[in-house]
Amino acid sequence: MIQTYAYKDIKIDEIFSREEEKTTVADVVANIIADVRKNGDEALKRYAREFDGAAAEVLEVSAEERAAALAEVDAEFIEILKEAAAHIRAFHEKQKRTDFVITERPGVVLGQKIIPLDRVGLYVPGGTASYPSTVLMDCIPAKIAGVKEVCMVTPAKGGKLNPDIIAAAEIAGVDRIFKIGGAQAVAALAYGTESVPRVDKIVGPGNAFVAEAKKQVFGQVSIDMIAGPSEILVIADGNSDAAVVAADLLSQAEHDKMASAVLVTESEVLAKAVAEELERQIPLLPRTEIARASIDNNGKIIVVESIAQAIEVSNEIAPEHLEVCVDDPFKYLADIRHAGSIFLGRNAPEALGDYFAGPNHTLPTSGTARFSSPLSVDDFIKKSSFTYYTKDALAAEAEKIGFFARREGLEAHARSALIRTTKEAEK
């Protein structure tokens, strides 16, 4: 059963602490990465047979296979995917950046150019934890950014592709799909093989082996983040419906036994009612065992003195998902500083963000919302600055540049500026 605490009796930095499993995967992942780097496609095919029960000789999904998988998906879901994609696209279009040029000083041109990444790899789980929503969330911003090629990797369990994943890929605009998964797929994207091209960045969720692989290849390629288990923090006042609040907490608890669901409220009556509702609703879920473990081990209810104090608690925790279930949520929006995604009011469940509203659902976890942001168009671009000076413009500043460089003990730096405007090279 979920535990209830008074604010004064709980340590905020322990809110999302978890009893971590002791399994170490780093060595296993390191061996897989080394194997893929050395043996390329042969290693990928061997792992596909071992882990996925797939014996495909061709790793890339053909146009015919994509069409066949798409044909398996019912028309209603296709239309829902298309509508969700439209909402996601409309939101992320607003994130596009533009070049700028500054010409305020005579003879000087400064600026910044926005350059899309050439190729991005999208990792998508293909088993029971398969999320077509993530395909939309991860591919659409990349396409808006102007990425030339998006390559998706997803395991074909038993040799069969997940048709919902393929449908989402078609709608989002994925360019190439490969039937590989696990740490070996991350290694293939990072280093390239005979069939799989090397990418510039890898995004997308996965199990502990995938997360570890992303960590180990970071530096060779960029990655989106090392995501931890799902989190939700619900701030609710005494007018909130206990059944609704409990349902929202369980929306994250059902993800993973390590997921965390936290309620912060100024109402002891609501706290008690939500605890009772959780006990009523958990047995109704198909993923009862997972939700039960999450709530019992990581769930918490914190009773505070006011909603303002609840906001303070939330800012200290910096949750992945934050719901503000009060009559006037916009009253508190300016005070919320640390949260991955914010859901305002009584009619904005976290599930809106997962599927349909438009903002991205790839979010910072484990308190990293203090310094990082949701996945966005910015994740798929890089920026280069440029500088141009005329000879006269450089002459006006060369002595200052030389003085500055010599102050730092870098004589060659100073000479490189002064040689263009003085007889410095002859000294």
Side-chain angles (χ1 to χ4, degrees):
M1 186 170 182
I2 196 167
Q3 298 298 306
T4 300
Y5 304 85
Y7 173 59
K8 62 182 179 63
D9 296 329
I10 195 165
K11 295 181 179 178
I12 296 300
D13 60 359
E14 295 178 356
I15 293 295
F16 284 154
S17 64
R18 300 170 175 89
E19 292 297 324
E20 297 287 353
E21 296 177 2
K22 303 301 181 182
T23 305
T24 301
V25 301
D27 290 342
V28 173
V29 168
N31 289 334
I32 291 173
I33 292 173
D35 188 9
V36 172
R37 292 187 69 181
K38 179 180 179 181
N39 298 304
D41 282 2
E42 185 277 323
L44 294 177
K45 292 174 184 178
R46 178 166 19 92
Y47 288 124
R49 289 192 297 269
E50 180 180 351
F51 297 129
D52 303 326
E57 286 305 312
V58 179
L59 296 175
E60 185 165 3
V61 180
S62 67
E64 291 77 16
E65 288 178 292
R66 291 174 72 151
L70 185 61
E72 293 185 44
V73 183
D74 59 275
E76 182 181 10
F77 188 51
I78 292 290
E79 290 306 310
I80 291 172
L81 283 172
K82 288 180 178 179
E83 190 173 351
H87 295 167
I88 295 164
R89 193 169 288 111
F91 182 86
H92 289 80
E93 283 281 356
K94 298 294 185 181
Q95 298 174 338
K96 292 174 68 173
R97 293 180 180 268
T98 57
D99 301 346
F100 66 80
V101 177
I102 300 172
T103 57
E104 296 171 355
R105 290 145 58 192
V108 177
V109 180
L110 307 174
Q112 178 176 275
K113 61 179 296 188
I114 304 299
I115 308 167
L117 300 183
D118 287 337
R119 183 182 290 122
V120 168
L122 168 55
Y123 186 92
V124 180
T128 54
S130 59
Y131 304 116
S133 58
T134 295
V135 180
L136 302 181
M137 294 288 182
D138 288 359
C139 181
I140 289 173
K143 285 295 183 177
I144 290 171
V147 172
K148 293 178 181 177
E149 188 173 69
V150 175
C151 298
M152 187 176 87
V153 294
T154 187
K157 294 294 184 181
K160 180 176 173 53
L161 293 163
N162 184 305
D164 289 351
I165 295 295
I166 303 303
E170 292 293 316
I171 290 167
V174 171
D175 297 289
R176 302 175 69 182
I177 304 174
F178 297 88
K179 294 176 279 191
I180 51 175
Q184 59 272 22
V186 174
L189 291 171
Y191 295 100
T193 71
E194 299 91 332
S195 297
V196 183
R198 185 179 65 178
V199 303
D200 301 312
K201 184 165 190 167
I202 300 172
V203 301
N207 61 19
F209 291 89
V210 170
E212 177 62 29
K214 287 170 68 177
K215 186 186 299 184
Q216 290 191 23
V217 301
F218 176 66
Q220 174 67 29
V221 294
S222 177
I223 61 173
D224 49 357
M225 62 186 74
I226 303 296
S230 297
E231 306 162 353
I232 186 170
L233 189 148
V234 178
I235 293 173
D237 62 19
N239 295 326
S240 299
D241 186 323
V244 169
V245 172
D248 289 357
L249 294 172
L250 290 172
S251 71
Q252 293 307 290
E254 73 170 353
H255 262 300
D256 185 337
K257 291 181 179 180
M258 304 303 294
S260 290
V262 175
L263 167 64
V264 185
T265 180
E266 36 49 299
S267 169
E268 292 186 8
V269 173
L270 180 69
K272 183 174 183 295
V274 169
E276 292 172 352
E277 268 296 322
L278 287 169
E279 294 306 302
R280 186 185 70 81
Q281 293 186 30
I282 289 174
L284 304 177
L285 300 175
R287 298 165 69 92
T288 294
E289 182 182 355
I290 293 172
R292 168 56 64 195
S294 170
I295 291 297
D296 288 354
N297 297 329
N298 306 309
K300 294 177 178 66
I301 297 176
I302 305 171
V303 180
V304 293
E305 295 179 358
S306 65
I307 296 299
Q309 188 177 64
I311 299 294
E312 293 175 11
V313 171
S314 177
N315 282 333
E316 290 188 65
I317 294 171
E320 177 187 17
H321 305 98
L322 170 63
E323 289 188 11
V324 186
C325 298
V326 299
D327 290 328
D328 183 10
F330 289 97
K331 173 182 176 182
Y332 301 99
L333 183 57
D335 297 323
I336 297 170
R337 293 186 49 78
H338 307 306
S341 193
I342 306 164
F343 300 86
L344 298 170
R346 305 192 195 280
N347 301 302
E350 182 277 335
L352 272 176
D354 274 349
Y355 303 112
F356 219 69
N360 210 283
H361 77 195
T362 302
L363 304 170
T365 62
S366 305
T368 59
R370 291 181 295 108
F371 50 80
S372 55
S373 307
L375 192 75
S376 72
V377 171
D378 284 345
D379 287 284
F380 300 102
I381 61 169
K382 57 181 181 176
K383 299 177 281 287
S384 290
S385 56
F386 57 86
T387 302
Y388 169 82
Y389 271 53
T390 63
K391 185 172 184 177
D392 288 345
L394 176 61
E397 297 180 358
E399 292 291 340
K400 297 173 186 177
I401 295 166
F403 186 91
F404 207 144
R406 285 168 173 157
R407 193 65 171 239
E408 293 189 346
L410 298 172
E411 180 63 21
H413 279 62
R415 290 169 65 85
S416 74
L418 295 169
I419 197 172
R420 289 171 163 81
T421 57
T422 69
K423 297 296 183 179
E424 188 72 19
E426 300 174 3
K427 295 181 181 179

